[in-house]
Each structure stands twice: as structure tokens, then as C-alpha cells.
């Protein structure tokens, strides 16, 4: 027997930020989150669009812990005159400041473009639990050198909203030519 409870069920240390829907199958309670990898990648795409509006390479990133965005950023290398101001680095900094910790083992980074080697190094040192990227970067992406650039415990997924992420990059560079 399946029964659904359509009232939102709120739980956890950041309870006001989470909504789950509960349902019962054979007297066992289950909960579904309304958040998904696509949802968080869309948030990263919003950040990438901000970068594009500021004539920056359109890369956006969000760091998520317990289904809550705790860090968000986009490329700001032109604005800050800083070659290290990549979206990933800025999002990691925001997340570590939020948590008051230099390590992010229970966090996921969603980024629109495959991180470069520099950003992969920062992800290694942050010990981030999971990295999800949209579009591959065949010229500068860290995967040219392999997943070993990430921390051994870091899980890696790619291709989430690949078309949308790739379209941003293609559009940006088409305008530059």
C-alpha cells in the first residue's frame, strides 16, 4: 500500500531551507527532496550568465552542503585583475568562510565548465566530497591529466546540463571573434 503526504516535511539543522515530501510504502516512511543535480547546475549557470554580462569568461560555480548553497561565484579575473579569480576558487572561499573550515568533505561543487589544473589543486586541498561539471574543457581541463589531481575521496560526475553549459561558452567566444 502506498500513501502520500503532500504537506512539506521540514527537517535538519537548516530546516527553513529544506522541503521534502514524505510518502509511505508498506508502513515505511520515505522522503523525496525537490533538489537535484540539474537544479544546482542551473544555479551555477545563473552565475555564469553574470560573468558573461560583465565580459568575463562565463563560468559559474556553487558549493552545496545539505541541499543548501553555501558558496556561489563566477569568474572575476578581469574585474579583480587576478588570474586566480576563477569561479571555483571564489566559491570554495565563500563556502569555507561560511563553514569556518578549510575542508569541504561533505560538500559538492557544481561548476559549468570542467575545472582547470589550478582549480583542481584547490579542490584537492579543500578535500571536497564531490565535483559535478557541465561542459568539458578539452584544452585546459584537469581531466587531460586524470582524476588523480582531485582528492582520492572526491567523487566526480560530469555532463550535467552539458548543452546549456557548452552553449554559454560557445556564445561568449563567438562574440569575441
Amino acid at each position: 500500500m502506498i500513501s502520500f503526504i503532500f504537506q512539506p516535511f521540514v527537517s535538519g539543522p537548516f530546516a527553513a531551507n529544506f522541503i521534502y515530501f514524505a510518502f509511505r510504502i508498506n508502513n515505511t516512511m520515505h522522503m523525496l527532496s525537490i533538489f537535484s543535480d540539474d537544479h544546482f547546475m542551473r544555479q551555477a549557470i545563473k552565475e555564469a550568465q553574470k560573468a558573461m554580462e560583465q565580459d568575463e569568461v562565463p563560468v559559474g560555480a556553487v558549493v552545496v552542503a545539505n541541499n543548501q548553497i553555501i558558496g556561489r561565484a563566477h569568474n572575476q579575473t578581469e574585474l579583480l585583475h587576478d588570474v586566480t579569480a576563477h569561479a571555483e576558487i571564489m566559491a570554495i572561499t565563500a563556502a569555507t568562510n561560511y563553514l569556518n573550515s578549510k575542508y569541504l568533505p561533505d560538500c559538492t561543487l557544481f561548476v559549468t565548465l570542467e575545472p582547470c589544473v589550478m582549480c583542481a589543486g584547490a579542490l584537492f586541498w579543500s578535500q571536497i566530497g564531490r565535483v559535478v561539471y557541465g561542459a568539458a574543457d578539452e584544452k585546459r581541463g584537469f581531466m587531460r591529466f586524470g582524476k588523480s589531481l582531485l582528492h582520492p575521496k572526491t567523487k566526480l560526475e560530469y555532463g550535467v546540463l552539458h548543452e546549456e553549459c557548452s552553449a554559454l561558452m560557445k556564445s561568449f567566444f563567438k562574440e569575441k571573434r
Side-chain angles (χ1 to χ4, degrees):
M1 177 179 162
I2 299 175
S3 62
F4 291 92
I5 300 169
F6 290 104
Q7 292 179 324
F9 176 76
V10 182
S11 175
F14 305 102
N17 298 315
F18 303 112
I19 298 177
Y20 294 89
F21 293 93
F23 63 97
R24 186 183 310 273
I25 299 177
N26 297 329
N27 282 337
T28 303
M29 204 61 165
H30 300 274
M31 292 189 304
L32 296 175
S33 171
I34 62 171
F35 300 112
S36 66
D37 286 356
D38 284 3
H39 168 77
F40 291 116
M41 187 61 75
R42 282 190 177 81
Q43 298 302 307
I45 289 170
K46 287 180 183 179
E47 289 296 318
Q49 290 166 334
K50 290 178 188 176
M52 186 178 251
E53 291 166 7
Q54 298 169 1
D55 206 30
E56 298 272 2
V57 175
V59 178
V62 296
V63 176
V64 176
N66 296 318
N67 286 330
Q68 180 181 12
I69 294 174
I70 61 169
R72 63 172 61 235
H74 54 274
N75 274 3
Q76 296 183 34
T77 59
E78 301 298 328
L79 174 70
L80 300 176
H81 305 286
D82 179 356
V83 296
T84 68
H86 289 198
E88 301 93 323
I89 302 286
M90 308 288 277
I92 289 168
T93 300
T96 56
N97 286 336
Y98 179 87
L99 295 174
N100 198 29
S101 170
K102 64 182 180 179
Y103 299 118
L104 303 171
D106 299 321
C107 297
T108 299
L109 172 80
F110 291 88
V111 61
T112 57
L113 183 67
E114 176 185 342
C116 69
V117 173
M118 174 186 70
C119 292
L123 292 164
F124 177 93
W125 291 112
S126 75
Q127 299 180 17
I128 197 149
R130 184 170 167 241
V131 174
V132 179
Y133 67 84
D137 184 350
E138 295 175 10
K139 291 182 181 178
R140 303 266 182 235
F142 80 94
M143 285 301 288
R144 291 181 62 215
F145 304 97
K147 185 184 178 293
S148 64
L149 292 180
L150 298 177
H151 192 274
K153 293 182 180 178
T154 300
K155 294 179 176 80
L156 177 64
E157 295 178 42
Y158 52 89
V160 175
L161 300 182
H162 175 268
E163 294 300 321
E164 293 92 326
C165 296
S166 294
L168 278 170
M169 296 298 289
K170 289 176 185 172
S171 172
F172 178 79
F173 286 108
K174 185 178 180 182
E175 287 180 23
K176 292 291 177 188
R177 291 185 188 124

